[in-house]
Amino acid sequence: MKNHLLLIIVISLICFTLVDQAVPQDTLWTKRYGGVGWQEAFDISITNDGGYLLVGWSDSGYPGWDAYLVKSDGLGDSITATYIGGEGNQKLTSIHRNNSGFISFGFAPGSNGGIDFWLLSIGENGDSLWSRTYGGADNDYGRIMATTDDGGYILAGETRSFGAGELDWYVVKTDSDGDTLWTGTYGWSGEDWLSDIQQTSDGGYLIAGFSDLNDQGRAYLVKTNSQGAVIWYKLEYDGYYKWFTSAMQTMDGGYIAAGFTEVWNGWNYYEEIYMVKYDSEGNKEWTQQHDNPPFFTSRGMDLLQAPDGGFLMVGRTSYMSGNTAGYVLRTDAQGEKQWSKTLYVPGSTRTLKSIKRVAYNEYAAVGNIDQDMWLVKLSEPLVCCGVLMIPDDDPITVQPGGSFRYRGIVSNSQTEPLPTDVWTGVIYEGEFFLLHRFPRIESLQPGEVIMRRLIQNVPYYAPAGDYQYVSYCGIYPEACDSFKFDFTVTGAPLADRNTEWSVMETTVGAGAPTGGENINLPTTLHLDGSPNPFNASTRIDYLLSEDGHAKLEIFDIMGKRVDILIDGYK
């Protein structure tokens, strides 16, 4: 069996100037970033050096707003703060990575005197590279953007320039240079606010927001094709207003939309987090609502799906007095609450607006704390598959056009079923090349072990040299476990042999089904901990050939025993 050992090293607590010490200990850390006036963060992205780039706005240039960007290191400590502004109001609400650094989106003054969509290319250090605006004679408010699979962008918000005299949804599709490919408007009778847009696996789009149809607030969800034509839409209303603030395609090919709903408790109106799951055709599968006692009201603002198929949503929760707290809700795949975190200090105003997964089990959420930007780093216990490869030969030497064989094993040592992706690649001269993605395992059961005998073909054009063969498991492209071994390509290319880096399954013995052999695994200790080097924790993998007594001890460089990590039956 393969075990994952988490080595925790206790370190002294260091209080940084910008750490919010009142946040519960189940967050890793929090930071705030302030200046003159009001600063607010709307979105976050990871930088190449493992830090963060926050975007939002500041009113330090009053009477106008300036776009405001904060670049931090991996612990959230501020490196640079940049204002981008001029006459009128500029606000950045969304950011994603691209080939040149980052692409960000919001709104800014347009050429016709109104407010226009604003697309801004940003370098790694937060400097502005180029910008474009999109809009008409009236105001057009950029709210959210997403990158698309053709390398371009989908921009979305509201328009008063192109609607029927009322606020309508407005969508602009661009190429990678920001040139417009098509536009679309969507709306009902009344005012319509747009909150989220995401590209779906069929090349179309999922758009979510709110429609004030006949003065009745309804959560509004639209599915389009790749050119923005409506395929289906949903208006959710049961006599109480509802608002979709976030939507996405789920692992099962369906969709989820979430936000908040009005509720009547017999003496007052309040709000609860509201989630609706649809299948791939838009048919409703389930609805969930979540309150947060003893807080009076809760709003969900941004949603993502976790690797186990459940969901995390961030937002705010508040007392009747008006004091608000940041709120994180975790559910399972059916929307049932698993846990929540309320980040509250009396007299403080806190809201979380966006959440991103920054590692397999770690998340970063941003918003505002009082009049400052706010960054919260969160983590969950690592819930992960295990992956292992056992080559038939050691060492492995293969000619170009030849092949080598190994046993590939994926397992689930958790107590819950896991969806799992497995993929392989090679590392050659320091660069990783993806070779093969296996079909997703939708539900790897607790204790389940899947073994396959595989043949890896090496193409005739493979250059001679030393390689590492690597396998990963997790939710592609985010791996939570990996395994690798070395092989060498040498000799002359074999004529009329393999032309691709292809993987084939093979049977065991005459007529035996794939994976049908008994596995005789060696006892192995993998000293390449992950991460390495490390600060607070690392993971050491070990493999036992059979059940029995195991002892694992840690020694320092002078040979002094530091700790006994394992001493018992395993």
Side-chain angles (χ1 to χ4, degrees):
M1 74 188 268
K2 185 177 182 184
N3 292 274
H4 303 301
L5 178 66
L6 184 66
L7 172 62
I8 303 296
I9 295 185
V10 179
I11 60 175
S12 59
L13 177 64
I14 301 175
C15 298
F16 296 92
T17 303
L18 295 178
V19 173
D20 181 4
Q21 299 297 330
V23 172
Q25 295 179 0
D26 52 6
T27 57
L28 295 179
W29 46 258
T30 77
K31 296 293 174 75
R32 61 191 298 172
Y33 313 92
V36 178
W38 183 286
Q39 284 74 221
E40 187 173 13
F42 283 93
D43 203 3
I44 185 172
S45 185
I46 305 173
T47 58
N48 273 343
D49 57 6
Y52 305 98
L53 185 62
L54 290 72
V55 297
W57 68 280
S58 171
D59 68 356
S60 60
Y62 184 82
W65 304 336
D66 288 336
Y68 189 50
L69 300 88
V70 172
K71 185 180 186 299
S72 79
D73 62 19
L75 294 175
D77 293 319
S78 178
I79 298 175
T80 60
T82 304
Y83 296 87
I84 302 176
E87 295 293 330
N89 298 322
Q90 292 85 23
K91 181 184 288 189
L92 290 173
T93 57
S94 187
I95 186 169
H96 296 273
R97 289 204 61 87
N98 67 2
N99 292 333
S100 60
F102 305 90
I103 193 76
S104 191
F105 178 63
F107 56 83
S111 58
N112 294 317
I115 296 293
D116 281 354
F117 281 18
W118 182 33
L119 188 64
L120 177 66
S121 178
I122 301 170
E124 285 291 341
N125 295 320
D127 51 315
S128 175
L129 301 180
W130 55 262
S131 67
R132 302 282 295 271
T133 58
Y134 313 82
D138 210 324
N139 291 331
D140 307 289
Y141 302 97
R143 303 297 186 191
I144 191 75
M145 57 102 40
T147 57
T148 53
D149 56 16
D150 60 0
Y153 311 105
I154 191 78
L155 320 177
E158 299 100 32
T159 181
R160 291 200 184 276
S161 298
F162 306 110
E166 297 171 329
L167 198 66
D168 282 342
W169 291 1
Y170 183 45
V171 175
V172 178
K173 175 68 178 75
T174 79
D175 61 17
S176 59
D177 295 322
D179 294 327
T180 300
L181 300 179
W182 55 261
T183 66
T185 57
Y186 312 83
W188 293 83
S189 176
E191 303 279 272
D192 303 295
W193 287 267
L194 188 147
S195 301
D196 201 5
I197 190 167
Q198 300 289 332
Q199 189 174 36
T200 53
S201 60
D202 60 0
Y205 301 94
L206 190 68
I207 319 173
F210 171 84
S211 179
D212 187 15
L213 178 61
N214 300 324
D215 295 323
Q216 297 173 340
R218 305 187 181 204
Y220 187 24
L221 185 70
V222 173
K223 176 68 178 74
T224 78
N225 65 12
S226 61
Q227 297 300 308
V230 175
I231 298 174
W232 52 258
Y233 66 87
K234 301 294 174 183
L235 284 167
E236 300 291 348
Y237 180 70
D238 58 4
Y240 301 101
Y241 77 76
K242 304 179 186 301
W243 196 314
F244 284 147
T245 58
S246 184
M248 63 179 297
Q249 189 169 27
T250 51
M251 293 177 182
D252 62 2
Y255 309 96
I256 188 167
F260 55 91
T261 180
E262 182 184 55
V263 178
W264 172 253
N265 63 6
W267 58 277
N268 207 341
Y269 289 100
Y270 66 103
E271 293 170 344
E272 293 181 349
I273 289 179
Y274 178 61
M275 307 172 70
V276 184
K277 176 68 169 61
Y278 304 91
D279 66 16
S280 59
E281 302 298 322
N283 301 306
K284 188 182 299 185
E285 294 184 334
W286 51 258
T287 299
Q288 296 280 6
Q289 293 180 205
H290 299 283
D291 58 4
N292 185 32
F295 287 84
F296 175 66
T297 188
S298 299
R299 284 191 174 193
M301 303 299 293
D302 192 26
L303 176 83
L304 60 75
Q305 190 166 28
D308 65 356
F311 302 96
L312 285 98
M313 190 163 206
V314 297
R316 75 183 190 207
T317 188
S318 64
Y319 285 117
M320 292 185 68
S321 63
N323 289 340
T324 63
Y327 189 52
V328 184
L329 173 69
R330 178 63 150 90
T331 77
D332 63 15
Q334 299 301 311
E336 297 285 351
K337 181 178 178 179
Q338 293 181 317
W339 54 261
S340 64
K341 299 173 185 175
T342 302
L343 309 180
Y344 176 69
V345 170
S348 179
T349 299
R350 300 162 180 238
T351 299
L352 292 173
K353 292 183 170 64
S354 178
I355 183 170
K356 294 283 181 67
R357 192 160 82 244
V358 298
Y360 194 83
N361 64 325
E362 294 184 355
Y363 305 87
V366 294
N368 67 284
I369 174 171
D370 299 323
Q371 294 184 349
D372 293 334
M373 282 185 167
W374 190 26
L375 171 60
V376 178
K377 184 72 176 295
L378 306 160
S379 78
E380 291 192 292
L382 184 64
V383 178
C384 185
C385 52
V387 67
L388 179 67
M389 298 182 297
I390 304 175
D392 288 6
D393 301 310
D394 186 20
I396 302 173
T397 302
V398 60
Q399 288 180 256
S403 62
F404 58 84
R405 297 172 180 246
Y406 68 95
R407 283 174 285 182
I409 301 167
V410 61
S411 61
N412 178 13
S413 62
Q414 311 295 323
T415 58
E416 299 292 333
L418 293 175
T420 301
D421 289 324
V422 179
W423 61 101
T424 61
V426 292
I427 299 174
Y428 177 68
E429 294 187 344
E431 187 173 357
F432 173 77
F433 299 90
L434 177 68
L435 299 186
H436 187 71
R437 283 183 61 188
F438 294 90
R440 170 168 289 180
I441 305 169
E442 295 294 344
S443 183
L444 189 63
Q445 296 302 308
E448 184 178 4
V449 177
I450 298 175
M451 197 280 290
R452 296 289 185 266
R453 288 195 60 90
L454 300 165
I455 300 175
Q456 175 62 60
N457 295 320
V458 178
Y460 70 91
Y461 59 80
D466 295 326
Y467 293 72
Q468 284 187 316
Y469 193 75
V470 190
S471 65
Y472 299 94
C473 73
I475 300 299
Y476 183 83
E478 297 181 71
C480 67
D481 194 32
S482 65
F483 194 92
K484 59 189 176 185
F485 58 76
D486 299 327
F487 70 96
T488 300
V489 176
T490 185
L494 298 173
D496 299 325
R497 292 293 297 273
N498 300 316
T499 60
E500 299 294 338
W501 289 96
S502 57
V503 177
M504 300 186 302
E505 287 193 30
T506 183
T507 58
V508 181
T514 299
E517 66 173 320
N518 293 324
I519 307 173
N520 183 20
L521 306 179
T523 298
T524 309
L525 176 65
H526 305 286
L527 297 180
D528 184 17
S530 176
N532 182 23
F534 66 95
N535 181 11
S537 66
T538 190
R539 192 184 75 200
I540 298 173
D541 295 343
Y542 65 95
L543 182 71
L544 303 180
S545 60
E546 59 184 17
D547 295 347
H549 189 90
K551 189 173 185 179
L552 180 58
E553 301 171 277
I554 300 295
F555 295 82
D556 65 19
I557 197 170
M558 302 301 294
K560 179 182 177 181
R561 186 169 66 191
V562 177
D563 200 359
I564 300 175
L565 303 177
I566 293 293
D567 189 4
Y569 187 84
K570 296 294 176 183

